[in-house]
């Protein structure tokens, strides 16, 4: 440890780590402080039984941005994984995202024209789209909404689809082709050595302190550097002075199973309300890891109060305006930089996180 650094970075997730790399590359000294006992934030992976386990949920790297793809490939080699999850509703099995395979299984039809005709007739009931339920029915019709969207979404968000904003569902592709690729992006894959190895390379040259909560003694930590990049929750940074931001949390329950192949695919969505989890991930399928046993994780969406682990921001009017108040306070602090999913209070795919960190580094360092 030095007496003083150019940058203190709070959080060793993807945003903080890319920023750290750029700072070090420009000759700056970096100290990173991390609340957890490991680096890499929610992209942390850990090898057990020869299988890379995504401890905080499935992370599939996908991007259409050439710069980001080239950048991330400097720190890892990626396999050719294509995410093609399936959805289970009772005993019924459907391909995701919504495409001709889904429509054909749902209605026993085979051509795009037949699928369109059914969806058109079912969407006639919707006049204007004001919530997620109406958005979903107008995209894929009522049958698919009832079986594959309603239960999953209400479990995921803990709210009725009529109270959720339409934007959430717009992230999912709807296609009139037999294409089960979940993403529309040009590049996609899983790093063969896992995500933790990427972060290890990114932060080479930084001093790292694990298991220490910056927010318990901000003044001491900040006195160690000229500038601070903070990637945690802004309401926590300001000791909740304006009120609490809301998040949706998750519990990942991992289990080792004495079986070579449990579900035959990396991701299975459980779309019924009666099953308490939304997804089961079978980790070995991400990188075709060879092992006589397997590891799965069930993903249970829960209230943030239950875990204290913030995952998804709940971007409604109340939270967004509260966030803007915190953001104003943060922006008024000349030696404070903020960035990343938590500090910006927005849903971020990994590629957007990398791009945003690169831009921030270019602007500041
Ligand atoms: N969704 C759904 N059924 C599914 C998968 C997704 O209704 O089987 C909806 C749900 O509302 C969810 C949204 O699509 O919140 C976005 O899903 P995505 O898989 O992109 O979520 P993430 O992986 O980011 O949790």
């Amino acid at each position: 440890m030095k007496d003083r650094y150019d940058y203190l970075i709070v959080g060793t997730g993807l945003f903080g780590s890319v920023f750290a790399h750029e700072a070090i590359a420009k000759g700056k000294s970096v100290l990173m402080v991390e609340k957890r006992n490991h680096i890499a934030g929610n992209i942390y992976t850990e090898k057990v039984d020869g299988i890379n386990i995504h401890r905080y949920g499935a992370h599939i790297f996908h991007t259409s941005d050439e710069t980001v793809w080239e950048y991330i490939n400097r720190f890892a080699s990626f396999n050719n994984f294509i995410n093609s999850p399936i959805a289970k509703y009772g005993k019924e099995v459907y391909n995701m995202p919504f495409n001709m395979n889904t429509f054909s299984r749902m209605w026993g039809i085979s051509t795009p024209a037949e699928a369109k005709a059914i969806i058109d007739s079912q969407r006639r009931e919707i006049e204007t789209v004001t919530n997620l339920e109406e958005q979903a029915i107008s995209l894929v019709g009522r049958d698919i909404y009832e079986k594959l969207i309603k239960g999953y979404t209400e479990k995921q968000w803990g709210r009725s689809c009529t109270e959720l904003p339409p934007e959430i569902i717009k992230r999912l592709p709807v296609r009139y082709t037999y294409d089960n690729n979940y993403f529309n992006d040009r590049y996609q894959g899983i790093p063969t050595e896992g995500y933790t190895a990427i972060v290890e390379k990114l932060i080479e040259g930084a001093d790292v302190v694990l298991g220490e909560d910056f927010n318990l003694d901000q003044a001491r930590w900040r006195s160690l550097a000229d500038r601070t990049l903070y990637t945690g929750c802004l309401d926590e940074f300001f000791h909740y002075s304006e009120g609490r931001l809301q998040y949706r949390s998750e519990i990942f329950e991992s289990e080792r199973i004495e079986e070579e192949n449990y579900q035959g695919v990396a991701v299975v969505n459980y779309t019924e309300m009666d099953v308490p989890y939304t997804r089961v991930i079978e980790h070995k399928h991400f990188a075709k890891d060879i092992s006589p046993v397997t590891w799965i994780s069930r993903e249970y969406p829960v209230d943030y109060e239950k875990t204290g682990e913030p995952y998804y921001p709940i971007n409604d009017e109340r939270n967004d305006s509260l966030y803007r108040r915190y953001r104003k306070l943060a922006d008024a602090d000349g030696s404070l930089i903020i960035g990343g999913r938590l500090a910006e209070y927005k849903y971020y795919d990994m590629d957007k996180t990398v791009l945003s960190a690169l831009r921030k580094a270019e602007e500041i360092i």
Side-chain angles (χ1 to χ4, degrees):
M1 285 262 299
K2 296 187 207 316
D3 291 340
R4 208 172 159 83
Y5 294 82
D6 293 315
Y7 289 96
L8 169 73
I9 299 181
V10 184
T12 57
L14 190 56
F15 191 100
S17 301
V18 168
F19 190 95
H21 184 84
E22 295 306 297
I24 292 161
K26 288 189 175 150
K28 306 293 181 192
S29 54
V30 172
L31 172 64
M32 300 181 90
V33 53
E34 166 63 55
K35 189 154 76 169
R36 290 179 177 153
N37 289 317
H38 61 75
I39 58 164
N42 283 359
I43 63 173
Y44 176 68
T45 52
E46 184 186 11
K47 209 161 206 171
V48 186
D49 292 322
I51 300 165
N52 256 318
I53 299 190
H54 297 212
R55 280 286 173 222
Y56 303 92
H59 283 83
I60 300 148
F61 201 95
H62 56 97
T63 189
S64 293
D65 190 301
E66 200 91 36
T67 316
V68 171
W69 186 241
E70 275 171 21
Y71 185 83
I72 202 76
N73 273 274
R74 283 165 47 197
F75 307 96
S77 68
F78 280 80
N79 68 12
N80 60 353
F81 180 81
I82 298 281
N83 191 26
S84 312
I86 62 164
K88 273 193 186 171
Y89 179 80
K91 291 216 173 319
E92 299 170 40
V93 174
Y94 295 92
N95 286 109
M96 292 291 288
F98 310 116
N99 72 82
M100 283 306 297
N101 290 301
T102 328
F103 306 146
S104 159
R105 176 63 61 92
M106 186 70 70
W107 299 309
I109 49 101
S110 65
T111 67
E114 289 171 310
K116 272 187 190 138
I118 294 177
I119 290 172
D120 281 348
S121 74
Q122 296 192 355
R123 79 152 65 104
R124 242 171 246 144
E125 58 178 286
I126 304 296
E127 281 166 17
T128 50
V129 169
T130 57
N131 59 44
L132 194 149
E133 174 173 298
E134 291 161 352
Q135 177 71 64
I137 295 172
S138 83
L139 281 173
V140 287
R142 184 167 275 280
D143 293 341
I144 287 182
Y145 167 69
E146 295 285 352
K147 285 189 173 176
L148 302 183
I149 297 175
K150 190 172 190 297
Y152 185 99
T153 302
E154 294 187 346
K155 286 190 286 186
Q156 175 70 43
W157 296 99
R159 294 186 187 184
S160 156
C161 285
T162 55
E163 290 161 21
L164 285 164
E167 286 71 35
I168 294 175
I169 197 76
K170 283 194 200 149
R171 251 197 340 252
L172 282 188
V174 177
R175 299 193 189 106
Y176 289 91
T177 54
Y178 287 90
D179 176 3
N180 296 326
N181 185 347
Y182 202 66
F183 301 113
N184 285 323
D185 284 316
R186 179 148 175 215
Y187 306 106
Q188 184 173 170
I190 300 283
T192 45
E193 297 307 316
Y195 287 96
T196 308
I198 296 183
V199 173
E200 275 165 4
K201 286 191 189 131
L202 280 169
I203 67 177
E204 227 171 74
D207 285 340
V208 182
V209 180
L210 295 177
E212 289 269 0
D213 188 348
F214 159 86
N215 283 316
L216 294 181
D217 197 351
Q218 295 181 350
R220 179 174 70 88
W221 287 107
R222 290 190 72 177
S223 73
L224 296 173
D226 293 345
R227 304 191 77 176
T228 297
L229 164 63
Y230 178 78
T231 67
C233 300
L234 271 199
D235 56 349
E236 194 183 349
F237 181 90
F238 290 107
H239 307 295
Y240 311 102
S241 61
E242 310 286 303
R244 279 182 183 261
L245 290 167
Q246 293 175 300
Y247 299 87
R248 188 71 175 152
S249 193
E250 305 268 4
I251 289 176
F252 298 98
E253 177 192 85
S254 298
E255 189 185 341
R256 180 182 194 267
I257 297 178
E258 299 280 341
E259 202 178 334
E260 203 185 331
N261 184 6
Y262 174 76
Q263 62 182 18
V265 65
V267 182
V268 178
N269 294 353
Y270 285 81
T271 59
E272 284 166 291
M273 201 62 199
D274 295 348
V275 179
Y277 40 87
T278 47
R279 281 188 273 225
V280 176
I281 299 162
E282 186 172 10
H283 301 271
K284 71 184 339 182
H285 295 301
F286 285 120
K288 297 195 171 79
D289 293 322
I290 310 272
S291 175
V293 298
T294 197
W295 277 90
I296 63 158
S297 298
R298 296 184 194 86
E299 187 173 329
Y300 297 82
V302 290
D303 284 340
Y304 171 45
E305 286 68 34
K306 195 164 174 181
T307 61
E309 286 276 354
Y311 281 93
Y312 295 90
I314 299 181
N315 290 106
D316 60 16
E317 251 164 61
R318 180 235 169 231
N319 288 320
D320 286 349
S321 92
L322 178 58
Y323 175 77
R324 283 193 294 274
R325 296 223 298 277
Y326 280 122
R327 185 62 193 253
K328 231 178 175 170
L329 294 175
D331 289 344
D333 182 332
S335 66
L336 183 67
I337 307 155
I338 62 161
R341 172 183 59 101
L342 294 176
E344 292 180 59
Y345 199 62
K346 72 180 188 197
Y347 182 90
Y348 250 141
D349 281 333
M350 286 181 282
D351 62 329
K352 304 290 182 309
T353 308
V354 170
L355 196 61
S356 164
L358 287 175
R359 287 208 178 118
K360 191 57 109 188
E362 209 173 279
E363 175 196 323
I364 287 185
I365 306 166

